[in-house]
Amino acid sequence: IYRSSVLAKTPSFLVLGPSGSGKTALVTKLETGHGSKTHTSQIPLTVQSHLPKSTVPKSWQYRSTADYETKAPKPLLLTDTPGHAKLRHYAYNSLASTTNPPTGILFVVDAADLSSSGTATGGANFALSDTAEYLHDVLLSLQKAYNNAKTSKAKEIPFLVAANKLDLFTALPAVAVKSTLEKDITRIRETRARGLLGVSTIGKGEGLGGNDEEGDDEREVLGGTSEGDFKFATMEEWNVSVEVVGGNAVGEDGPGVEGWWEWIGAQL
Ligand code: GTP
Ligand code: MG
């Protein structure tokens, strides 16, 4: 009982993102300090880790760093999820957990696989649209959860987009990852809104749509409107605070995981 109540209070981070983006590599690196060979994940896995001593948590910001170093390391939980499109229900279930909502969310993207020039297909990049669609859907589910919440609307959800694989020379820098994803989410949002428009007109014609709440929920558009460009900053209106930080879970070159630890520390 003691152990489970301690675990329930331990800050927890949910790790999401498409298959192959490096979620398991990142969780392993944050747990053990080194990389290891990974296989595609089929079930979620929660591990315990500790904030490194070099990263001072936000709750300690007004006290001396020297004092902090004498303290026991701050524990945290990381939940790795499978990224395959058919296995994302695990991620959505954890996301919707009301008994144990995550302290923060890490959405891992493969920064070396997002540029359209990076694919031989010339033009449409599957990795980009798959990544942006998953990200769109996760943000929309957070927006809906906020709108449907009867209480605790004040609680902000820290959301990190981890631009991974920056050790590779083909990788986009974090700022470009941000703008590329915003642009593709704008496109997805427009397409979805057009689809919804079709559905709702049919609904009206048949005398179906209109008053039921579920219908309204279904028609909800990310960021409230499909007009103009989608910006991550808009999500602040739904208390989702998005930051894009680059790094690499494996490989010696590149910024490593320091920026992600800094972000995690800022939530503790
Ligand atoms: P699923 O479990 O299928 O959802 O994928 P995942 O997101 O867990 O991906 P995983 O961690 O298994 O990594 C996929 C591949 O990318 C592996 O071959 C990793 O070694 C590689 N990888 C992960 N992070 C990095 C990185 O920072 N740099 C480089 N170069 N490769 C990476
Ligand atoms: Mg995995």
Side-chain angles (χ1 to χ4, degrees), residues 38-252:
T38 56
H39 303 279
T40 190
S41 309
Q42 302 202 12
I43 49 161
L45 184 70
T46 299
V47 301
Q48 196 183 23
S49 180
H50 295 91
L51 194 68
K53 284 285 174 170
S54 50
T55 310
V56 177
K58 185 156 181 275
S59 55
W60 200 268
Q61 63 182 336
Y62 300 117
R63 288 176 273 181
S64 113
T65 311
D67 280 355
Y68 178 68
E69 278 158 6
T70 66
K71 287 272 174 189
K74 238 182 175 1
L76 56 106
L77 301 173
L78 296 160
T79 301
D80 183 19
T81 59
H84 190 282
K86 290 196 170 132
L87 299 173
R88 288 180 192 166
H89 54 274
Y90 290 114
Y92 287 112
N93 285 345
S94 306
L95 205 56
S97 167
T98 45
T99 46
N100 231 337
T103 311
I105 295 162
L106 284 84
F107 192 97
V108 184
V109 309
D110 181 343
D113 210 13
L114 294 183
S115 62
S116 42
S117 57
T119 47
T121 51
N125 176 346
F126 174 76
L128 173 58
S129 57
D130 183 46
T131 303
E133 255 173 59
Y134 190 10
L135 184 52
H136 168 279
D137 292 354
V138 166
L139 291 175
L140 184 59
S141 79
L142 292 174
Q143 177 180 319
K144 285 179 179 175
Y146 175 89
N147 287 344
N148 295 335
K150 304 276 177 277
T151 53
S152 74
K153 288 212 185 213
K155 207 162 165 290
E156 184 174 81
I157 300 173
F159 194 105
L160 175 74
V161 176
N164 190 27
K165 309 200 186 181
L166 289 202
D167 56 309
L168 302 175
F169 81 99
T170 47
L172 297 177
V175 279
V177 166
K178 184 179 182 190
S179 59
T180 302
L181 288 173
E182 284 179 333
K183 214 171 140 205
D184 214 49
I185 289 175
T186 302
R187 178 189 66 77
I188 290 160
R189 182 168 81 165
E190 274 167 11
T191 312
R192 295 277 178 93
R194 244 180 282 133
L196 291 177
L197 205 65
V199 169
S200 64
T201 343
I202 293 166
K204 265 184 204 140
E206 317 243 299
L208 291 171
N211 45 16
D212 61 311
E213 261 182 51
E214 203 161 278
D216 279 349
D217 190 53
E218 286 306 314
R219 274 195 288 279
E220 200 161 323
V221 176
L222 184 68
T225 172
S226 60
E227 313 251 309
D229 297 336
F230 172 77
K231 297 283 176 216
F232 287 126
T234 312
M235 293 312 295
E236 297 277 356
E237 281 179 47
W238 288 270
N239 262 348
V240 182
S241 173
V242 184
E243 263 185 77
V244 184
V245 179
N248 53 296
V250 300
E252 294 305 314

